[in-house]
């Protein structure tokens, strides 16, 4: 295997692998893997009339939709409240890797609560809260959703989401290495899908894209996750006012506690026409 990893233009990389089969035969074949690169997120803000810059996070991500990722990160962390507070978003990286640093400049007069930035500088692609420096910093100031007064989704729609998400995952087909976040209407129609090596990045990209389009709140939509449902993903969904969160895999105990606290419907193990409802059962219509 003489060839090193070769980066392509579509969020994949090519590599030569030894593919081993059940009879112990080995074939040298080309393979595709998901790209993972660091993204530094910086904010520009006005302090006494002077524009200052501050690096707030480095996250490992799949390149693409970086502006949406940066905007979604700031929104779901509770640092900004809407796209109206954004003056500009641009790449500002150094020569050689110009697109691995994004700076989001805030409008003059935007007030920043720097306590919400109390996190270690580096965030891995697998965890969105590992960098939090204290339990108090886990809170983004999200308010509970209004109690559900009506059902909004049927079991048939929920059961249809995994296949719809999987069909729309273009890069996953070739690499098998990406998480996906899908936003659906309550009739099961896919609105938007984002892929990334990081679960929280995929959600930030999706929510950031919707925020930049002026579509927040997403109070009649469904968030579907290709993996497990964790605390930080529930909290991000609540910031966007998404009432129903469903996932292919299991939720964590903290995710269930958060969903209950925020009056969110949380569904797990959506597979083979079955699923578990952990909280918010009243939003599901079981009538034929």
């Amino acid at each position: 295997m003489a060839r090193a990893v070769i980066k392509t233009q579509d969020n994949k990389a090519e590599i030569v692998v030894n593919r081993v089969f059940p009879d112990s035969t080995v074939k040298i074949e080309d393979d595709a893997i998901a790209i993972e690169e660091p993204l530094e997120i910086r904010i520009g803000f006005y302090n006494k009339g002077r524009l200052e810059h501050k690096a707030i996070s480095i996250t490992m991500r799949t390149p693409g939709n970086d502006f949406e990722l940066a905007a979604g990160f700031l929104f779901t962390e509770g640092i900004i409240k809407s796209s109206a507070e954004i003056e500009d978003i641009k790449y500002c990286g150094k020569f050689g890797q110009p697109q691995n640093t994004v700076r989001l400049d805030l409008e003059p007069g935007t007030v920043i609560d720097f306590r919400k930035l109390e996190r270690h500088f580096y965030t891995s692609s697998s965890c969105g809260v590992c960098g939090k420096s204290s339990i108090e910093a886990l809170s983004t100031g999200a308010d509970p959703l209004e109690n559900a007064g009506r059902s909004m989704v049927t079991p048939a729609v929920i059961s249809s989401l995994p296949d719809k998400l999987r069909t729309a995952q273009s890069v996953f087909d070739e690499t098998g290495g990406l998480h996906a976040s899908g936003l659906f209407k309550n009739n099961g129609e896919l609105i938007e899908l984002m892929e990334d090596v990081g679960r929280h990045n995929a959600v930030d990209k999706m929510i950031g894209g919707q925020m930049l389009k002026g579509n927040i709140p997403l109070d009649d939509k469904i968030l579907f996750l290709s993996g497990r449902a964790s605390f930080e993903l529930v909290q991000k969904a609540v910031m966007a006012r998404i009432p129903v969160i469903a996932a292919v895999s299991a939720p964590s105990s903290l995710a269930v506690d958060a969903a209950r606290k925020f009056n969110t419907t949380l569904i797990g193990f959506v597979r083979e026409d079955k699923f578990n409802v952990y909280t918010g059962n009243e939003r599901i219509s079981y009538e034929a």
Side-chain angles (χ1 to χ4, degrees), residues 22 33 81 88 92 96 102 107 112 163 177 205 225 227 244 268 279 281 286:
I33 57 177
K81 298 180 177 63
D88 190 25
C92 62
V102 167
E107 289 283 352
I112 304 173
D163 286 343
K205 286 181 177 181
L225 307 170
V244 178
T279 62
N281 189 62
Y286 294 99

Side-chain angles (χ1 to χ4, degrees), residues 120-136:
H120 295 300
F121 191 69
Y122 173 79
T123 303
S124 75
S125 59
S126 61
C127 178
V129 298
C130 301
K132 298 291 186 179
S133 59
S134 67
I135 294 296
E136 290 75 17

Side-chain angles (χ1 to χ4, degrees), residues 43-59:
I43 57 172
F45 59 96
Y46 288 90
N47 182 18
K48 298 180 180 179
R50 179 181 177 183
L51 182 63
E52 298 183 1
H53 303 150
K54 182 179 180 66
I56 60 172
S57 178
I58 289 180
T59 184

Side-chain angles (χ1 to χ4, degrees), residues 66-273:
D66 291 332
F67 292 175
E68 290 87 347
L69 172 57
F73 172 79
L74 292 181
F75 176 76
T76 60
E77 289 291 316
I79 299 167
I80 61 175
K81 298 180 177 63
S82 73
S83 58
E85 295 180 326
I86 301 173
E87 182 180 63
D88 190 25
I89 309 177
K90 58 189 174 184
Y91 288 109
C92 62
K94 297 179 180 179
F95 178 78
Q97 290 185 320
Q99 295 189 337
N100 277 352
T101 302
V102 167
R103 195 179 87 207
L104 194 149
D105 292 338
L106 304 179
E107 289 283 352
T110 302
V111 178
I112 304 173
D113 184 355
F114 283 99
R115 293 173 298 178
K116 293 181 178 179
L117 299 175
E118 291 178 355
R119 53 190 299 144
H120 295 300
F121 191 69
Y122 173 79
T123 303
S124 75
S125 59
S126 61
C127 178
V129 298
C130 301
K132 298 291 186 179
S133 59
S134 67
I135 294 296
E136 290 75 17
L138 290 174
S139 175
T140 57
D143 295 319
L145 277 66
E146 294 183 4
N147 288 319
R150 59 181 178 82
S151 59
M152 62 171 289
V153 64
T154 66
V157 166
I158 295 169
S159 295
S160 73
L161 300 183
D163 286 343
K164 291 178 179 177
L165 190 78
R166 182 69 180 80
T167 300
Q169 282 190 264
S170 58
V171 181
F172 182 90
D173 283 338
E174 297 186 57
T175 68
L178 293 181
H179 293 283
S181 166
L183 186 68
F184 290 85
K185 294 182 179 180
N186 56 23
N187 64 0
E189 179 184 343
L190 178 64
I191 299 171
E192 188 168 48
L193 177 140
M194 292 289 184
E195 291 180 297
D196 200 277
V197 290
R199 293 176 297 112
H200 61 286
N201 287 340
V203 172
D204 277 341
K205 286 181 177 181
M206 188 274 293
I207 292 178
Q210 292 297 309
M211 183 194 68
L212 293 175
K213 295 174 184 176
N215 293 337
I216 303 292
L218 302 169
D219 50 13
D220 58 349
K221 304 298 188 297
I222 303 168
L223 172 65
F224 190 74
L225 307 170
S226 64
R228 66 183 180 90
S230 54
F231 165 83
E232 75 273 18
L233 300 186
V234 171
Q235 188 166 248
K236 288 176 183 296
V238 172
M239 291 295 288
R241 317 310 289 167
I242 300 174
V244 178
I245 305 165
V248 169
S249 194
S252 67
S253 61
L254 195 57
V256 174
D257 288 343
R260 186 175 292 113
K261 172 185 175 182
F262 291 126
N263 294 329
T264 302
T265 298
L266 181 60
I267 302 167
F269 290 110
V270 185
R271 58 184 74 166
E272 300 175 352
D273 295 327

